[in-house]
Amino acid sequence: MEQDKEKVGEENVDRTQDSLNFNEVLHLLSKKAVLGRGIPEKYNIPPWRLPDTQPHREEINSLLQHSMMAQAAQIPKSGDFEDFVLSNASLAVSGLLRHYLSVLGVSADIVFGVLLWDESARSGADDYEGTPHVWLSIAGLPVDNNHVAFPTSADNAEYFFECKKLNAYAAEDPLKTKLKLFLGLEDDEDSKEVVRHNLRVLQTFSQPAHILKYLAVSLKHAELNPGVKMYHLLMQDWVKTRWGKAAPNIEEELKTCTDCKVARYCNRDCQKQEWRVHKLLHKEIEHTKDILDKNANETEEHDEEIVF
């Protein structure tokens, strides 16, 4: 009898979801999230947590802990979120955390720099020295809250925390550095262009004047990367419950771009001046759609191959 009730309940939820738009479905699913692993207690210094000497330390460290748990959260029978909510999204996470910290009146800078690799992880002097990365700087201290999802069978989850040290964060432009950086394994020209585009996005939208534009597009086009919107939903609820005040709405009442329907400007002159930056977001949307289409086609081809 109990199993029958559970099955009926799931069918009712499925029918409810069928009648909702994408954002409404995400809101519904967010209520079922099971928070994941946070930052182990022993990592109590930067880049994972702020030290005792910093103002608002307890509130900020609680935010960082919940953020990591929200990124690692799982939502049973949800498809996209069965293993994690968000992984390797350092720009979005840093930008949103900076936004939430404004509720406390805490200022934070977003840094687009180089994450240096530990010497013990390099095969020799000719090996890569690091990789481009984005993190927060609070009172001059690096704060890295980027979650990376590993398979449940992986034995390197602890190394993920161990390998990131305070002195591993070099605030130098990855596009100008002389360091040998790891940018990916693919050698074909299309993949290289995607890497170049991604670096331009990180460089441009890590700037204070542009980060909210990147976040607004990511949240508006949630169907392209639903993890960012789901993470924001989980964090918004926590911020309001914990601090008794909601973070400001990211979208402002300004002139809207007629193409993407997201970017907003104070007037047409402002829109013209901003186009060089904003067209990067249009290209980002196109890149993401192309990747999703490619993945969908590969899935269909795979399904056809296994049909007897």
Side-chain angles (χ1 to χ4, degrees):
M1 182 65 71
E2 290 299 324
Q3 290 179 343
D4 291 341
K5 289 181 180 179
E6 183 177 341
K7 184 176 180 181
V8 170
E10 290 177 358
E11 290 175 349
N12 288 336
V13 169
D14 290 340
R15 283 196 293 270
T16 300
Q17 291 182 3
D18 289 340
S19 64
L20 301 176
N21 64 37
F22 190 76
N23 282 322
E24 289 170 335
V25 170
L26 291 181
H27 275 274
L28 185 64
L29 288 175
S30 70
K31 307 304 179 185
K32 303 178 180 181
V34 179
L35 295 177
R37 182 190 187 191
I39 306 167
E41 289 186 13
K42 65 179 181 178
Y43 300 105
N44 57 4
I45 59 174
W48 301 111
R49 289 184 172 94
L50 291 182
D52 294 344
T53 55
Q54 293 301 314
H56 299 290
R57 177 191 64 87
E58 290 188 8
E59 295 95 333
I60 295 173
N61 286 343
S62 293
L63 175 71
L64 297 175
Q65 175 73 334
H66 192 80
S67 171
M68 189 67 73
M69 294 169 70
Q71 293 173 71
Q74 297 176 331
I75 304 178
K77 300 180 181 179
S78 63
D80 287 340
F81 308 117
E82 291 187 10
D83 297 320
F84 58 86
V85 163
L86 199 57
S87 176
N88 244 342
S90 59
L91 179 59
V93 170
S94 295
L96 286 169
L97 284 175
R98 177 177 180 269
H99 185 65
Y100 306 143
L101 287 169
S102 68
V103 174
L104 295 176
V106 174
S107 62
D109 297 319
I110 300 175
V111 182
F112 172 51
V114 176
L115 178 62
L116 300 173
W117 286 2
D118 192 289
E119 288 294 332
S120 63
R122 300 175 63 205
S123 59
D126 294 331
D127 198 2
Y128 296 106
E129 297 173 87
T131 189
H133 194 49
V134 174
W135 63 90
L136 283 178
S137 176
I138 302 177
L141 297 172
V143 174
D144 188 351
N145 198 247
N146 182 50
H147 170 256
V148 177
F150 294 100
T152 53
S153 58
D155 59 359
N156 56 348
E158 195 68 21
Y159 179 73
F160 168 70
F161 293 100
E162 289 286 350
C163 71
K164 294 185 177 182
K165 307 295 184 183
L166 182 61
N167 61 356
Y169 296 84
E172 58 180 282
D173 190 340
L175 300 181
K176 297 178 180 179
T177 183
K178 294 182 179 179
L179 295 170
K180 186 177 181 181
L181 302 184
F182 178 76
L183 302 176
L185 297 172
E186 302 296 334
D187 292 328
D188 62 280
E189 190 55 38
D190 287 344
S191 296
K192 289 181 179 179
E193 173 54 31
V194 170
V195 169
R196 287 192 288 267
H197 165 76
N198 289 340
L199 290 176
R200 288 194 294 269
V201 167
L202 294 177
Q203 182 190 51
T204 301
F205 294 102
S206 58
Q207 299 175 33
H210 302 314
I211 182 59
L212 288 183
K213 300 160 193 170
Y214 175 83
L215 295 176
V217 168
S218 299
L219 296 173
K220 177 69 175 180
H221 293 275
E223 70 281 0
L224 300 182
N225 187 359
V228 174
K229 183 60 177 277
M230 180 60 71
Y231 167 79
H232 186 46
L233 291 173
L234 296 175
M235 293 304 297
Q236 275 185 312
D237 286 347
W238 183 89
V239 167
K240 189 172 183 179
T241 301
R242 178 86 178 202
W243 297 338
K245 183 179 178 181
N249 194 321
I250 288 175
E251 296 183 58
E252 299 174 351
E253 291 301 322
L254 298 175
K255 188 174 181 63
T256 304
C257 171
T258 56
D259 192 353
C260 69
K261 310 298 183 185
V262 179
R264 298 170 186 271
Y265 308 94
C266 49
N267 54 51
R268 185 165 295 279
D269 289 339
C270 179
Q271 185 174 7
K272 288 179 180 178
Q273 294 171 11
E274 190 69 10
W275 173 242
R276 184 177 179 181
V277 170
H278 183 63
K279 68 180 180 180
L280 255 182
L281 289 177
H282 285 226
K283 193 170 183 179
E284 174 74 352
I285 293 172
E286 292 172 5
H287 268 301
T288 306
K289 287 180 178 178
D290 288 343
I291 291 172
L292 292 176
D293 290 342
K294 181 179 179 180
N295 290 343
N297 291 335
E298 289 177 352
T299 300
E300 289 179 1
E301 292 173 2
H302 176 71
D303 292 342
E304 290 175 358
E305 289 175 359
I306 62 176
V307 173
F308 294 96

